[in-house]
Amino acid sequence: MARTNLNVGMVGYGFMGRTHSNAYLQAARFFDVPYQPVLKAVCARSTERVKGFAENWGYQSVETDWRVMVQRKDIDLIDIASPNDTHAEIAIAAAKAGKMVLCEKPLGRTAAEAKMMVDAVESAGVPNMVWYNYRRVPAIVLLKQLLDEGRFGRIFHYRSQFLQDWTISRDLPQGGEGLWRLDVAVAGSGVTGDLLAHNIDMALWLNGPICEVTAMTETFVKERKHNLTGKVEPVGIDDASAFLCRFANGSMATFEATRYARGHKALFTVEVNGEKSSAAWDLHDMHRLEYFDHRDEGRLRGWKSVHISDGDHPYMKNWWVPGLQIGFEHTFIHQVADFLQAVGKKEQASPTFADGLATDYVTDAVLKSAKTRQWEKVSAG
C-alpha cells in the first residue's frame, strides 16, 4: 500500500533511543500501517556520539539542541527518550509546535509535571503516547482479552513485582550519563517511578482504577559519590518500594519493586485471581501465559501453560511461523504500529499522556503514603 512519510525527530541516543529507532525501522515492514516512519533527525548534547548514533541507525541529520529540532518544519513527530527531567519541557514545546509527541515513561517526575504535559498535548490536539511497552507483550494482550470477555468473573486479587539487583554495590556512584536514575533531581523518584510505573500502568489497563494505597519505601545506601560534582551526596531516590492498594472494582493488590533483589535482573511478574479463573505471567518467560479455569472438568482441572506463538494470538500473525517466539524489542514495534494505525484513523492509541498521568497519580500517592505512613487516596485528576 502507498504510505505517507512521517518524519521522526528523536531526543536521546541511549538504551531507549535504540529500542525506539529499531521500532520505527521495523513497524512498516511487518504491519499494514498508513505511514512510513523516516528517521529524519536525532538530538543529543555530544556531537561526536550523536553523529555515530545517527550513522548506525540511518538518521538523516543531527542536532545538539532539542529546541532547534522541535521547530524544524520537516519533522512531524518528536520522540522523547531522554532522562525524566527533560520530559515536560520538551513535550510541551513540541505540542505547541504542532508535533506528534511520544515520551518515555514515567511521563513526568510528578503528577503536577505530567498534568502540564497532558494540558499541552490536549490543547494542541496532537497525537500522543507514553512508551509503556509491556502493554504490547502478546501474552499480556491475551490476558486483557480474557479479562474483558468476563472469563475471570469477579476479580479478587492482583499482584505484581519488578525485581532487579544492579544498584546493590555501595561503590556505585549517582548522577550523570547511565546513572541519572539514581539522582532524584533528574529521575524524580527511584524504583517507584522507574519500575513500579510499569506495573501500575499495566494494572490500570488490566484491572481498572486504583482508589487508595498504603506504602513503604527504603533507601538502603544513604550516600553516594555524585558523578557530576565529585562529592559524596545524600541519595534521594528509593531503592525499594512496596504497597498495598484497593481497586475501584473491589479487588485487593500487592505491588513490590526493588533494585536489591540479588539474582534478579528484570523479574516482572503479574498474577490475577478471579472467582472463575486465574492467570500469571513472567517477563523471563514472556511468550507464555499461565492460565487456570475452575470450570474445566475436575479430572483435568489444573494450570495450563499457553505458548503465545500462534496466528490467532495477539500480533503473532505478523511474525514467524507458529512455535517461534519473539522478544522484548517487538513490544516497541507493536506500539509504533498501533500508534501509526490510530493516527491514520484520527484516533488516539493508548497509553496516551492522560493514561501516563493516571499512573503518576498513583506513584505520587505511593510516595506520599511512604512518608505519612497512612492510607492515601489516589487523585482522579
Side-chain angles (χ1 to χ4, degrees), residues 234-289:
V235 175
I237 57 100
D238 45 293
D239 292 322
S241 180
F243 71 95
L244 307 176
C245 74
R246 298 183 188 276
F247 285 85
N249 65 7
S251 59
M252 301 168 57
T254 62
F255 290 83
E256 178 191 14
T258 182
R259 296 186 182 126
Y260 278 68
R262 181 64 82 191
H264 292 299
K265 303 305 178 186
L267 181 67
F268 182 4
T269 63
V270 174
E271 183 168 345
V272 183
N273 305 130
E275 62 180 321
K276 300 175 182 178
S277 300
S278 290
W281 172 82
D282 177 350
L283 177 60
H284 286 172
D285 201 8
M286 64 184 292
H287 59 288
R288 291 191 182 275
L289 183 68

Side-chain angles (χ1 to χ4, degrees), residues 166-167 172-183 227:
W166 65 278
T167 63
L172 190 72
Q174 63 175 314
E177 185 176 350
L179 292 172
W180 59 263
R181 288 177 176 82
L182 276 67
D183 184 340
N227 277 325

Side-chain angles (χ1 to χ4, degrees), residues 115-151:
K115 180 63 165 59
M116 293 189 295
M117 300 167 71
V118 171
D119 290 344
V121 295
E122 291 185 348
S123 177
V126 294
N128 56 90
M129 183 179 264
V130 187
W131 286 97
Y132 280 114
N133 61 295
Y134 294 112
R135 285 196 188 195
R136 264 66 185 192
V137 174
I140 292 297
V141 179
L142 177 59
L143 173 55
K144 170 68 170 172
Q145 292 172 351
L146 297 176
L147 286 163
D148 290 348
E149 291 167 8
R151 291 175 181 259

Side-chain angles (χ1 to χ4, degrees), residues 135-333:
R135 285 196 188 195
R136 264 66 185 192
V137 174
I140 292 297
V141 179
L142 177 59
L143 173 55
K144 170 68 170 172
Q145 292 172 351
L146 297 176
L147 286 163
D148 290 348
E149 291 167 8
R151 291 175 181 259
F152 287 72
R154 179 184 174 187
I155 304 302
F156 298 126
H157 294 285
Y158 189 104
R159 61 186 62 86
S160 189
Q161 294 179 313
F162 208 140
L163 312 181
Q164 297 182 341
D165 70 355
W166 65 278
T167 63
I168 291 178
S169 173
R170 62 178 57 252
D171 295 328
L172 190 72
Q174 63 175 314
E177 185 176 350
L179 292 172
W180 59 263
R181 288 177 176 82
L182 276 67
D183 184 340
V184 70
V186 177
S189 69
V191 296
T192 301
D194 185 35
L195 302 182
L196 273 183
H198 275 300
N199 305 67
I200 293 165
D201 172 75
M202 186 178 291
L204 297 176
W205 186 54
L206 294 175
N207 201 39
I210 292 173
C211 299
E212 58 179 350
V213 305
T214 183
M216 61 179 177
T217 61
E218 183 57 65
T219 302
F220 295 112
V221 176
K222 309 297 184 182
E223 294 182 328
R224 293 184 185 273
K225 180 180 178 181
H226 200 289
N227 277 325
L228 300 184
T229 67
K231 299 177 180 179
V232 175
E233 299 182 5
V235 175
I237 57 100
D238 45 293
D239 292 322
S241 180
F243 71 95
L244 307 176
C245 74
R246 298 183 188 276
F247 285 85
N249 65 7
S251 59
M252 301 168 57
T254 62
F255 290 83
E256 178 191 14
T258 182
R259 296 186 182 126
Y260 278 68
R262 181 64 82 191
H264 292 299
K265 303 305 178 186
L267 181 67
F268 182 4
T269 63
V270 174
E271 183 168 345
V272 183
N273 305 130
E275 62 180 321
K276 300 175 182 178
S277 300
S278 290
W281 172 82
D282 177 350
L283 177 60
H284 286 172
D285 201 8
M286 64 184 292
H287 59 288
R288 291 191 182 275
L289 183 68
E290 305 296 329
Y291 182 70
F292 177 92
D293 194 329
H294 187 68
R295 291 159 294 190
D296 289 345
E297 180 187 349
R299 296 177 304 158
L300 300 175
R301 187 182 298 139
W303 283 89
K304 302 174 183 176
S305 180
V306 184
H307 187 247
I308 312 298
S309 67
D310 220 330
D312 56 356
H313 289 137
Y315 299 111
M316 296 308 298
K317 67 180 180 181
N318 295 86
W319 295 107
W320 323 122
V321 298
L324 301 184
Q325 62 201 55
I326 59 174
F328 172 78
E329 71 276 18
H330 295 82
T331 63
F332 294 89
I333 300 170

